[in-house]
Amino acid sequence: MSKQSFKKLASCLLLMLLMFLVVSCSGNSEPANNNNNSANMNISPVNNNQAAKEPQYGGTLKMIGTASALNLGHPTEGDYASVYPAVEPLLAVSDERELEGVLAKAWEEDPDNLTITFYLQEGIKFHDGSDFNAEVAKWNFEIAAERYRLRFFDHIDRIEAVDDYTLVIHINQWHNQIIEEWGIKQMFSKQAWETHDESWFSTNVVGTGPFKLEEFVRDSHIYWVKNEDYWQEGYPYLDRIEIIDIPEPTTAAAAFEAGEARAWLNADNQYAREFVDKGYVRNEGWAGMQTVILFNNAEGELFSDKRLREAVEYAIDKQAISDALGYGFSEPIYAVAPPGDWGGHFKWRDYDPEKAKQLLQEAGYNGEEVILLASNAGGRNDMAEAIYNYLRAVGFNVKIDLADLGRFGQALYNDGWKHLALSIAGQDTNYLTSIQRWWGHDGTLSISFIRPAELIEMSRASLLARTTDEKKAWAEKIVKYIGDEALVIPILNQPSGFLHDGTVHTSYPKQGFTRWKMHEMWIEP
């Protein structure tokens, strides 16, 4: 994938995560390849009483969330998370943070012979009655590659539908991130694409999933109805899912407490704490969002001086920020990888304002203005204000630049920023994948974030790791280098989560940001 195209895709993800993060921080035994992130968190686990009850069929699940996708079911421009009920990928992330089959029942990577083979489930049909097969899967990859919406598309030599249920992608080079990207590719109906005008897909979607789209009104609601012909026998349990868009938190809280919805997908931390204390349940998973400070560390820029970057971290009381804004749902972090993840055990700089002042003096800082770029998705940014106060207290002459999401994303991925940017990072199947998406040689950030030659070399070398142990070793080495050089200042980690009234049974979000097993979800009467 061209870097510009990947940045556009990553920008969509960033904006989605930022909306969640700004709302969340408002003032109003380990698996083999990864660890449990929430070991030290003050969180509300899934209701243990739920596990003992048998699933029940029927009912309408009403949730407060968002209905603002710009291109709902477009095969290359669509909103990945918005179509979870209707669209499925070849592979998906399991509870144990490993890839497992969905529309593909098995897969093989052959690094030596440069092939990736998907063995597809048989007898699956799309909502429009057309068949899902290797030719359709081939088309999904080809259209994404043609439109520069498939990361690593330039690694494709050719795609071969060997038979109806065997897809072989011949590649010109192998590395360990290809399957991480291509495996979770969602599959859309080719027949629908050939039948409808392209604009139709901005408000419609045709997939293989457990629910069909009934009605979508942007910024209002989205209704899903049971797919009676779903390919997984015995599923789904629910008859309907209705997601209502209530962006104003006070109104959403009132509706939730009044029982107008059983779940609230994007409650801020303050409301989440209030409802959990009242006995409501907050489901959480391993995937979190890490609040970080990014530098413009280009040669000749103010923060090319490592001492000033270190001073920023020493100046900030992360625990105090977590206590004030996290309401028990966040934790301070000291490495770009959160605790429990590969490299998350490293720690460099505790809160020490006197040390920060000393470093400012040693670096010859003379009160030059420092611009802190931040998003104003929630109208203000409490996190940015807290960091502003800490930096001012040690002598930085800071000014906050609050940007709308469009300008903020453009700065991060294209235009760059002046000095500091308050942003986020996320977690993936393993933290080496997160490194490659955010910090690596082909990562998403703009020209302002300069990757030293040593980091670039390590990032490239890590792509050739084949075993879990090798991937972990590289991830830890890169995380340590980023911390040693203070290239990124991590602030907080907040696991993903959502509220419900205790009658909603679902494993979400235990599989991370890229999956929701909606076919298994059920509700009590």
Side-chain angles (χ1 to χ4, degrees), residues 57-303:
Y57 285 95
T60 297
L61 173 59
K62 295 184 178 182
M63 300 189 286
I64 299 169
T66 180
S68 56
L70 296 179
N71 286 290
L72 182 67
H74 195 287
T76 63
E77 309 294 330
D79 186 324
Y80 196 101
S82 292
V83 294
Y84 282 155
V87 184
E88 297 173 307
L90 295 178
L91 311 177
V93 182
S94 71
D95 294 5
E96 291 75 31
R97 293 181 71 176
E98 298 176 346
L99 290 175
E100 64 181 9
V102 182
L103 293 181
K105 59 186 177 183
W107 70 99
E108 293 177 354
E109 290 185 275
D110 189 338
D112 297 321
N113 292 309
L114 297 178
T115 59
I116 296 176
T117 302
F118 295 101
Y119 301 97
L120 307 182
Q121 304 276 5
E122 300 178 14
I124 296 177
K125 290 187 179 292
F126 287 96
H127 300 159
D128 59 5
S130 62
D131 293 327
F132 169 70
N133 54 38
E135 283 293 341
V136 173
K138 178 174 180 284
W139 169 80
N140 271 273
F141 278 102
E142 288 176 339
I143 190 173
E146 289 168 3
R147 296 188 173 213
Y148 307 104
R149 292 295 180 267
L150 181 69
R151 195 180 184 196
F152 310 129
F153 78 91
D154 54 345
H155 291 26
I156 296 175
D157 181 39
R158 61 190 174 92
I159 306 176
E160 178 185 10
V162 176
D163 55 42
D164 283 348
Y165 302 109
T166 307
L167 180 75
V168 179
I169 304 179
H170 299 266
I171 54 180
N172 52 46
Q173 59 179 303
W174 176 90
H175 60 69
N176 55 38
Q177 295 305 299
I178 294 176
I179 193 65
E180 300 287 347
E181 295 288 340
W182 296 358
I184 64 172
K185 175 86 180 71
Q186 290 176 321
M187 296 286 112
F188 295 85
S189 167
K190 181 182 179 184
Q191 177 176 287
W193 181 260
E194 294 171 341
T195 303
H196 299 281
D197 181 85
E198 189 167 343
S199 62
W200 183 83
F201 294 91
S202 67
T203 55
N204 292 276
V205 61
V206 182
T208 61
F211 295 91
K212 299 180 179 181
L213 179 67
E214 180 182 79
E215 183 176 78
F216 171 51
V217 178
R218 187 172 293 115
D219 299 322
S220 175
H221 63 267
I222 185 166
Y223 296 159
W224 306 94
V225 295
K226 181 176 184 176
N227 177 9
E228 298 287 354
D229 300 314
Y230 186 52
W231 62 276
Q232 294 199 54
E233 187 176 354
Y235 295 107
Y237 291 114
L238 293 171
D239 291 332
R240 294 175 59 85
I241 297 174
E242 297 182 359
I243 302 176
I244 311 300
D245 192 8
I246 309 179
E248 203 285 311
T250 303
T251 306
F256 184 51
E257 189 161 24
E260 296 175 19
R262 296 189 186 221
W264 185 3
L265 300 181
N266 51 359
D268 67 32
N269 284 341
Q270 182 175 355
Y271 278 116
R273 172 50 55 201
E274 291 178 7
F275 278 102
V276 167
D277 289 346
K278 292 176 182 178
Y280 288 77
V281 177
R282 188 174 192 267
N283 280 25
E284 290 195 356
W286 54 262
M289 288 170 291
Q290 296 80 54
T291 306
V292 298
I293 294 177
L294 306 173
F295 298 102
N296 179 350
N297 61 327
E299 185 177 356
E301 295 292 339
L302 187 63
F303 287 96

